[in-house]
Amino acid sequence: MNGLYQENAYIKEFDAKIIDITKRGDMFCVILDKTYFYPTSGGQPNDLGFIDDAKVLDVQIENNQILHYIDKELPFNSDVHCAIDWERRFDHMQNHSGEHIVSGLIHEHFGYNNVGFHMGEFIQVDFDGVLTKEDINKIESLANEVIQKNIPIRILYPTKEEENNLEYRSKKEIEDKLRIVQIEDVDCCACCGTHVKTTGEIGIIKIISASKHKEGTRLEMLAGMRCFNYLRNIFDENHEISVLLSAPLDDTFAYVNKLKEDISKKNEEKKYFSELYLSNKNYSILEEGIVFEIENNIDKNILKKYANKLIGEENIHTVVIINKTMCNFEYIIMSKSVNLKEAIKEINLKLNGKGGGNEELVQGSFNSEIDDIQKVIVDILKSNQYLLK
């Protein structure tokens, strides 16, 4: 494998020769006599860029060869100029180096091992132990202190003798020559990835989320410019919220919580008056044994309770309640005589509806005019074709 990215991750452009090229589907697979393109491996995504005027779409390792997948054919045995997408490469360097700091600190302070690593939209790291919120805050603070100290990040290739006396983290057995990424007093880890030269180049580390994973903890984190851009977006969103609420930027949670409490109180008041309104309402029987009621944006549970009350009357065998909302007409239908589970299939079909239930109760919504809803439902209920046996 002729990957030089491990020797110098800062090379942005280089010249090489195409020593093999084959067509693979819609792409062409190129092998160069030397390369600084990083292939997908160890949880880190591949580099992108150009080989001459051909776009590099993917880079992979296969049979110990680094394969560059490009979008157009280039001449075999030709000399080519290669350019790496530096913004993507440096982003990966910042985030991978940031992950080493976090993993090293967690291992040092809690003894937990990094058992999973993936660089996607967020940097996902799995640990074999439980971390509390306080633990995570502590690690995050320590990680950013490491950045401020601007500690060198060294790449070491220890001899077998040195290897025996070296304590380092590793998720798997190393068969090839051991490559160590060392951050003094912070981390020492076997790694094939690309890294920055000093911790100061990482800029910032932020742990975004933590969740239980198997018997341990899964963290999502960001570092570098990707982290800065994410936090700037969060700040901008919070600023918009603060303007809407006329709240200080650093106190939006309290204002939102108060707004939530006010809404909850108003909803409780609305429920109270809705129940009061329904308890004093005079219903009318539309057809023999059928009550058809049209209400306006009332809580479903209150309407179901009201329907239960009506269906308990001796002279009522079916109750239909249509609830007008901003988007459609919601329905609750109860019956002691009609098999609603079967009847609602025909009703939904004719009224562009969706929903269902059992023989005695169905719920859902219609996307039709109210006059059509009433006519179709009453006609089907009166037809006697869905009577309970």
Side-chain angles (χ1 to χ4, degrees):
M1 184 170 61
N2 55 347
L4 300 175
Y5 49 85
Q6 292 187 338
E7 305 300 326
N8 189 344
Y10 286 80
I11 297 294
K12 304 174 187 177
E13 299 185 28
F14 62 96
D15 294 317
K17 183 184 289 289
I18 294 178
I19 59 174
D20 188 54
I21 181 166
T22 55
K23 194 171 191 307
R24 294 198 182 181
D26 296 331
M27 297 183 289
F28 292 87
C29 179
V30 166
I31 299 177
L32 302 173
D33 66 336
K34 62 178 180 181
T35 186
Y36 286 89
F37 281 99
Y38 184 85
T40 297
S41 58
Q44 179 176 328
N46 59 278
D47 285 330
L48 298 176
F50 286 89
I51 299 177
D52 274 354
D53 61 346
K55 277 187 179 180
V56 176
L57 306 173
D58 194 6
V59 186
Q60 297 289 334
I61 298 178
E62 188 177 300
N63 297 325
N64 212 35
Q65 291 281 354
I66 297 178
L67 310 181
H68 310 74
Y69 290 88
I70 60 177
D71 67 346
K72 61 186 292 186
E73 188 172 13
L74 294 174
F76 168 72
N77 208 34
S78 61
D79 294 323
V80 290
H81 183 72
C82 305
I84 294 170
D85 180 340
W86 176 246
E87 184 176 348
R88 176 183 171 91
R89 159 68 74 83
F90 193 64
D91 169 68
H92 291 167
M93 291 163 63
Q94 287 181 314
N95 279 279
H96 201 158
S97 300
E99 175 271 318
H100 274 246
I101 293 174
V102 170
S103 294
L105 289 170
I106 288 175
H107 183 72
E108 177 188 351
H109 288 270
F110 302 104
Y112 300 153
N113 297 305
N114 175 333
V115 293
F117 168 60
H118 174 71
M119 294 178 68
E121 180 181 359
F122 295 99
I123 312 307
Q124 182 178 289
V125 198
D126 297 335
F127 296 94
D128 58 2
V130 176
L131 294 164
T132 66
K133 182 179 180 181
E134 291 73 20
D135 296 337
I136 292 166
N137 287 342
K138 174 182 178 179
I139 292 300
E140 185 179 79
S141 296
L142 290 172
N144 283 284
E145 288 177 15
V146 170
I147 288 174
Q148 292 175 5
K149 292 176 182 177
N150 200 27
I151 302 170
I153 299 178
R154 296 188 173 92
I155 306 299
L156 309 176
Y157 292 94
T159 64
K160 283 295 180 182
E161 183 179 349
E162 291 170 332
E163 184 179 330
N164 293 332
N165 298 316
L166 188 64
E167 290 188 13
Y168 62 92
R169 296 187 301 110
S170 179
K171 292 192 289 291
K172 60 182 182 179
E173 292 294 325
I174 309 296
E175 296 179 1
D176 299 327
K177 185 174 177 60
L178 181 63
R179 180 178 187 258
I180 294 291
V181 176
Q182 183 188 66
I183 308 171
E184 190 172 353
D185 297 327
V186 178
D187 191 36
C188 187
C189 182
C191 181
C192 63
T194 55
H195 296 274
V196 294
K197 291 179 180 177
T198 65
T199 60
E201 291 183 74
I202 299 169
I204 186 173
I205 288 173
K206 177 66 183 172
I207 296 174
I208 306 299
S209 69
S211 58
K212 186 179 186 302
H213 179 67
K214 297 181 180 178
E215 300 304 315
T217 306
R218 170 168 289 174
L219 297 184
E220 286 188 326
M221 58 166 285
L222 288 176
M225 284 303 298
R226 196 193 309 192
C227 180
F228 170 79
N229 290 329
Y230 177 82
L231 294 178
R232 180 167 59 185
N233 289 336
I234 296 295
F235 176 88
D236 289 345
E237 288 289 324
N238 192 49
H239 180 264
E240 293 298 321
I241 292 171
S242 74
V243 171
L244 286 173
L245 297 176
S246 297
L249 265 172
D250 60 351
D251 205 23
T252 51
F253 173 77
Y255 277 68
V256 170
N257 201 45
K258 176 66 166 55
L259 181 62
K260 182 180 176 182
E261 290 174 357
D262 290 344
I263 292 172
S264 178
K265 184 178 178 181
K266 290 183 184 300
N267 285 337
E268 289 301 316
E269 291 175 352
K270 180 181 176 182
K271 287 180 182 179
Y272 169 77
F273 286 111
S274 294
E275 288 180 335
L276 187 63
Y277 154 73
L278 291 173
S279 66
N280 291 285
K281 181 180 179 182
N282 293 321
Y283 66 85
S284 59
I285 298 178
L286 183 67
E287 297 286 341
E288 184 178 351
I290 301 175
V291 171
F292 192 101
E293 296 279 296
I294 301 172
E295 302 298 344
N296 187 24
N297 200 27
I298 293 180
D299 182 86
K300 291 180 185 178
N301 293 323
I302 294 174
L303 288 178
K304 192 184 293 186
K305 183 178 177 181
Y306 176 59
N308 263 316
K309 174 189 171 185
L310 295 181
I311 203 71
E313 301 288 335
E314 284 188 18
N315 58 336
I316 299 173
H317 64 71
T318 301
V319 175
V320 180
I321 298 180
I322 304 299
N323 191 31
K324 292 193 287 187
T325 68
M326 291 182 64
C327 302
N328 52 28
F329 292 97
E330 297 176 347
Y331 65 81
I332 296 173
I333 307 176
M334 291 184 179
S335 183
K336 295 184 287 191
S337 62
V338 177
N339 186 339
L340 293 176
K341 186 175 182 180
E342 296 302 321
I344 199 61
K345 296 176 184 176
E346 182 180 354
I347 294 172
N348 279 337
L349 186 63
K350 290 185 175 181
L351 294 175
N352 192 24
K354 59 182 180 180
N358 55 39
E359 292 182 350
E360 299 176 347
L361 168 66
V362 291
Q363 299 177 87
S365 62
F366 300 126
N367 189 11
S368 296
E369 297 298 324
I370 189 63
D371 291 340
D372 295 333
I373 291 172
Q374 181 170 322
K375 183 177 187 312
V376 167
I377 291 177
V378 173
D379 286 349
I380 290 175
L381 293 176
K382 287 170 56 182
S383 69
N384 294 328
Q385 64 184 109
Y386 296 110
L387 291 178
L388 284 169
K389 298 178 182 179

